Amino acid sequence: MFEAVTSRQDFPKLEEDMLSWWDENNIPRKYRERNENSDKRWSFIDGPITANNPMGVHHAWGRSYKDLFLRFRNMQGYKQRFQNGFDGQGLWIEVEVEKELGFKSKLDIEAYGVGDFVELCKQRVDRFADIISEQSKRLAMWMDWDDSYHTKSDENNYTIWHFLKVCLEKGLLYEGTDVMPWCPRCSSGLSEHEIVTEGYREIVHPGLFVKFPILDRANESLLIWTTTPWTLTSNVAASVHPELMYVKVRQGEDKIYLAKSLVSVLQGEHEILEEMTGDALVGLRYSGPFDELEAQQGVEHRVIPWKEVAENEGTGIVHTAPGAGKEDFALGKEMDLAVIAPLDQFGVFIDGFGPLTGKSVFDVNEEIYDSLKSKGVFYNLERYTHRYPVCWRCGAELVFRLVDEWFISMDPIRESLKKITESIRWIPEFGMRRELDWLDNMDDWMISKKRYYGLALPIFKCENCGHFDVMGSEDELHERAVEGWDEFEGHSPHRPWVDTVKITCSECGSKVSRILEVGNPWLDAGIVPFSTLGYRHGSDAWKEWFPANWISESFPGQFRNWFYSLLTMSTVLENTEPFRAVFSYAMMRDDQGDEMHKSKGNAIWFEDAAERMGVDSMRWVYIRQRPEANLNFGVGVAD
Ligand SMILES: [Zn+2]
Ligand SMILES: [Zn+2]
């Protein structure tokens, strides 16, 4: 009755035939328009995929969920938007274009020309947006591919301008000085969001023990420990825990102070002479390790109390350099310490650091050891392996650097943010707890970057009086423009074109330029529930489709990134939730359960998998997975 079927089907070939048939018969369009006249709405806002490389199989996992839920709602008769999004501004794009051009640093970009460079960045995004669209069609994802939104669009950028204007009006926007993690290769600060979980690598650093000789006490020294010898140049204090037990030990001629629980770090024999609590040491003055440097002139080094001193690492006496460490900076503010900031944007010692001036922070360790030895304060050097922050884009080790950046204050909106977070349905449920933890602990949001291709922050700061104005739209910029509008008109609001426009300071009347910084890319993705629906023009579409019923992304990382920026921007603009439910899933691993990395060679490009196993079997593997568990994936998993 039945013809025998062969078990040796060429699934990818069958799929290609099906795709052509869909195409010829306009099936995706018929599907999308099926509920055109329905009065039921189901609103999905797409978390934009970065259009910077072709898709990997992990992207296909997330996109399969999106397609599945949208099809389900379509079958139930809901009218939908079917809009896909592309993320395409920021340093991640710049880094790829720099690689294409063989650039080593920012100086190469300046020499090449910022305008041409930004143009190449935009072209790269368009190129990969096209590739990802085609790949997604191959995955049988049915979106309205001619209606994708781009975060680099004028509308997206100007809607962020509007958001920043509202931040200004609510007193949330400010310029601040802080010590931030800094990538010397990218010459850019990294926000807290960017390094909290993924931005660390196991690195072997020197574990260096140094003596700080106490003034007026012959042969007596504090013993300190550091993994960043370069920061010793900027030492201004030594911190002790006031309640922790310390000891004074004799080693030959030397008398050394350190925490009692850490005497095992001492080299050779020692004899304990005295015990005391940390507060007995507070106020002692010592000679610093680099007092001869010009940058150190006038600094009085002393022992200060600090309750964060750890008793399980180092010596219990913490070398404190407020210009070169984040916690040190906060402590320095509290204790009114001098701030010595040694590095320029490339991680090179600035003037005032003697023989180190002009040298890279990564090349000075030997010279520092020699200098300490010649002063008789070098104690011991070990290898120390620890998790240390690295640039997630280029892999370079970060340093901590004193910078002026722009921030959005969190404290005034923290409680509203948490309330809104609690009103959202999180699937799986533990997501809510994770988001609330982040909101509880996060510092003010650093939104500026000293780079080229990204949102042009619409902040105009007067060099004469210090006042700053924020342009809330292109119309406001046009109205306020006193110079350069004609040159700018017709260009996207990117550097360098937007920077031709000058305005007049509303306080003192001086001519003012835009600050050169560009925006944090999570501003770009966080505004899309507004920008894609014409929010700032008071459109009906926004009222019809906001908030989204459902969004979906992989959990790790998004609590501090996309979810966070969506919540913050919606709280500031409307004090309401931008989405009602979020469906999340874990990470994809290779078939051995190891993390996939391009550099490890175990990442799988979407096209390879589609060609070898077909997308139906991929989608089957994805959909039967328990979403909160990591998915171990290889092209053989569906056999
Ligand atoms: Zn970098
Ligand atoms: Zn002014």
Side-chain angles (χ1 to χ4, degrees):
M1 189 189 287
F2 297 106
E3 280 180 48
V5 286
T6 168
S7 64
R8 302 192 63 81
Q9 289 290 355
D10 182 352
F11 291 112
K13 170 74 170 59
L14 291 176
E15 289 172 3
E16 296 284 1
D17 292 347
M18 181 60 82
L19 288 168
S20 318
W21 185 81
W22 283 349
D23 202 35
E24 283 151 23
N25 294 281
N26 247 327
I27 304 299
R29 173 178 296 275
K30 287 178 186 159
Y31 154 86
R32 289 197 309 270
E33 289 174 354
R34 178 177 183 270
N35 302 314
E36 201 55 32
N37 299 315
S38 170
D39 48 18
K40 296 199 290 184
R41 299 281 176 280
W42 196 71
S43 176
F44 164 71
I45 183 82
D46 189 27
I49 184 170
T50 307
N52 197 22
N53 276 301
M55 248 162 68
V57 285
H58 59 292
H59 294 114
W61 183 17
R63 290 167 97 69
S64 295
Y65 280 133
K66 289 175 181 176
D67 196 48
L68 179 77
F69 277 81
L70 267 58
R71 284 175 190 251
F72 173 60
R73 293 302 182 188
N74 200 47
M75 287 193 290
Q76 290 179 318
Y78 289 90
K79 185 176 174 180
Q80 299 182 57
R81 298 178 63 200
F82 295 111
Q83 190 179 41
N84 166 79
F86 288 114
D87 209 3
Q89 289 188 147
L91 187 47
W92 38 32
I93 317 286
E94 288 190 44
V95 167
E96 292 296 326
V97 174
E98 281 182 87
K99 272 192 228 159
E100 279 177 22
L101 296 171
F103 287 177
K104 296 272 177 291
S105 83
K106 264 180 166 178
L107 297 175
D108 296 329
I109 298 174
E110 300 273 355
Y112 183 78
V114 174
D116 289 341
F117 180 75
V118 166
E119 220 32 79
L120 287 181
C121 290
K122 289 158 82 175
Q123 285 168 17
R124 181 180 176 90
V125 172
D126 289 335
R127 187 161 86 242
F128 283 103
D130 287 346
I131 291 172
I132 292 169
S133 297
E134 289 311 312
Q135 293 182 312
S136 303
K137 289 179 199 168
R138 175 68 186 89
L139 181 66
M141 186 183 190
W142 278 0
M143 301 294 263
D144 188 354
W145 295 109
D146 297 327
D147 185 40
S148 292
Y149 72 78
H150 276 267
T151 61
K152 69 176 166 59
S153 70
D154 292 5
E155 186 60 26
N156 207 66
N157 281 302
Y158 288 131
T159 310
I160 302 169
W161 285 25
H162 172 75
F163 163 77
L164 292 171
K165 182 87 180 186
V166 175
C167 285
L168 175 77
E169 287 162 0
K170 295 192 169 179
L172 300 173
L173 183 69
Y174 72 96
E175 185 182 27
T177 303
D178 203 351
V179 169
M180 304 293 294
W182 184 270
C183 174
R185 207 233 45 104
C186 297
S187 297
S188 168
L190 280 85
S191 71
E192 194 185 357
H193 309 214
E194 293 170 288
I195 59 163
V196 168
T197 51
E198 288 139 36
Y200 287 84
R201 207 171 60 211
E202 293 263 302
I203 292 184
V204 181
H205 272 146
L208 176 65
F209 293 84
V210 180
K211 293 184 288 185
F212 288 174
I214 299 172
L215 295 183
D216 310 321
R217 292 197 187 179
N219 297 332
E220 293 196 9
S221 299
L222 307 162
L223 188 65
I224 68 92
W225 175 78
T226 181
T227 59
T228 48
W230 63 272
T231 61
L232 289 169
T233 59
S234 306
N235 172 274
V236 302
S239 305
V240 296
H241 195 301
E243 287 137 36
L244 191 66
M245 285 309 293
Y246 288 81
V247 288
K248 176 167 144 184
V249 303
R250 183 204 304 277
Q251 289 200 297
E253 295 287 288
D254 275 346
K255 291 172 192 131
I256 290 171
Y257 291 85
L258 77 166
K260 186 182 178 188
S261 55
L262 290 161
V263 288
S264 61
V265 305
L266 292 169
Q267 299 296 301
E269 303 281 300
H270 70 268
E271 174 196 348
I272 293 182
L273 301 175
E274 238 181 276
E275 292 191 11
M276 72 286 301
T277 51
D279 54 7
L281 302 173
V282 170
L284 288 176
R285 293 179 308 123
Y286 64 90
S287 34
F290 285 92
D291 281 352
E292 74 281 10
L293 296 178
E294 198 188 316
Q296 281 280 358
Q297 296 318 300
V299 174
E300 189 190 65
H301 299 85
R302 58 194 165 93
V303 179
I304 59 169
W306 189 38
K307 298 233 166 163
E308 304 297 315
V309 172
E311 54 177 316
N312 56 359
E313 195 171 65
T315 65
I317 303 178
V318 175
H319 140 62
T320 301
K326 195 168 173 60
E327 290 171 315
D328 304 45
F329 184 75
L331 179 63
K333 250 193 196 166
E334 199 181 301
M335 304 294 296
D336 198 22
L337 302 177
V339 177
I340 301 173
L343 303 180
D344 73 5
Q345 60 168 326
F346 303 106
V348 169
F349 278 91
I350 59 172
D351 284 344
F353 289 83
L356 301 173
T357 294
K359 291 180 184 158
S360 161
V361 65
F362 298 121
D363 298 333
V364 294
N365 281 357
E366 291 302 327
E367 202 168 334
I368 284 174
Y369 305 151
D370 289 345
S371 170
L372 297 171
K373 282 174 187 162
S374 74
K375 293 165 192 157
V377 296
F378 182 99
Y379 184 81
N380 186 30
L381 179 63
E382 295 173 343
R383 287 160 60 86
Y384 181 73
T385 306
H386 60 159
R387 284 168 58 72
Y388 187 83
V390 294
C391 177
W392 59 270
R393 295 178 211 86
C394 76
E397 264 181 53
L398 301 182
V399 293
F400 285 79
R401 181 166 179 262
L402 188 72
V403 286
D404 292 321
E405 298 285 359
W406 292 83
F407 296 85
I408 295 175
S409 306
M410 277 300 119
D411 281 337
I413 56 171
R414 202 183 300 272
E415 286 312 309
S416 312
L417 269 168
K418 287 168 64 180
K419 236 169 84 189
I420 286 166
T421 300
E422 285 167 351
S423 74
I424 290 166
R425 183 172 176 211
W426 297 79
I427 310 159
E429 275 176 25
F430 67 78
M432 184 192 290
R433 192 62 258 157
R434 294 271 299 277
E435 189 64 53
L436 289 171
D437 280 349
W438 170 250
L439 294 174
D440 269 332
N441 294 315
M442 85 152 291
D443 293 341
D444 290 349
W445 186 8
M446 186 182 95
I447 56 161
S448 56
K449 263 191 200 306
K450 300 181 194 312
R451 292 293 309 190
Y452 302 97
Y453 175 56
L455 165 82
L457 289 172
I459 302 169
F460 287 71
K461 187 183 165 190
C462 177
E463 282 185 14
N464 183 42
C465 76
H467 175 77
F468 66 91
D469 285 310
V470 172
M471 299 300 107
S473 68
E474 65 274 45
D475 292 343
E476 186 178 356
L477 181 64
H478 192 184
E479 257 165 48
R480 297 279 306 270
V482 292
E483 191 183 303
W485 179 264
D486 291 344
E487 269 174 275
F488 167 59
E489 202 171 14
H491 286 286
S492 66
H494 288 112
R495 293 187 68 186
W497 305 288
V498 67
D499 292 329
T500 58
V501 184
K502 314 291 174 202
I503 66 164
T504 304
C505 174
S506 56
E507 288 290 316
C508 77
S510 302
K511 199 195 287 177
V512 184
S513 302
R514 195 187 71 81
I515 60 169
L516 286 178
E517 280 86 345
V518 297
N520 179 304
W522 293 108
L523 291 167
D524 303 347
I527 201 69
V528 299
F530 298 92
S531 60
T532 62
L533 290 164
Y535 170 75
R536 67 189 184 117
H537 310 292
S539 85
D540 291 336
W542 184 75
K543 293 182 193 101
E544 186 181 344
W545 295 102
F546 181 94
N549 294 89
W550 189 82
I551 64 169
S552 173
E553 293 300 323
S554 169
F555 259 174
Q558 298 304 343
F559 295 106
R560 63 199 161 90
N561 291 328
W562 194 47
F563 301 155
Y564 166 75
S565 66
L566 284 171
L567 289 164
T568 300
M569 296 176 99
S570 184
T571 300
V572 169
L573 289 174
E574 290 290 329
N575 198 27
T576 188
E577 74 276 10
F579 52 92
R580 295 215 168 98
V582 49
F583 170 84
S584 275
Y585 44 94
M587 301 284 279
M588 188 175 282
R589 303 277 194 238
D590 72 9
D591 48 9
Q592 304 301 310
D594 290 329
E595 282 184 36
M596 282 187 178
H597 289 293
K598 265 187 268 179
S599 55
K600 264 170 77 177
N602 64 347
I604 304 173
W605 291 111
F606 166 75
E607 249 145 49
D608 296 339
E611 221 166 88
R612 290 173 60 186
M613 64 192 286
V615 297
D616 262 343
S617 27
M618 286 165 73
R619 289 173 62 121
W620 178 74
V621 170
Y622 297 149
I623 299 309
R624 68 195 280 272
Q625 167 75 8
R626 195 160 53 85
E628 67 266 38
N630 287 336
L631 169 56
N632 294 348
F633 186 88
V635 291
V637 290
D639 286 351

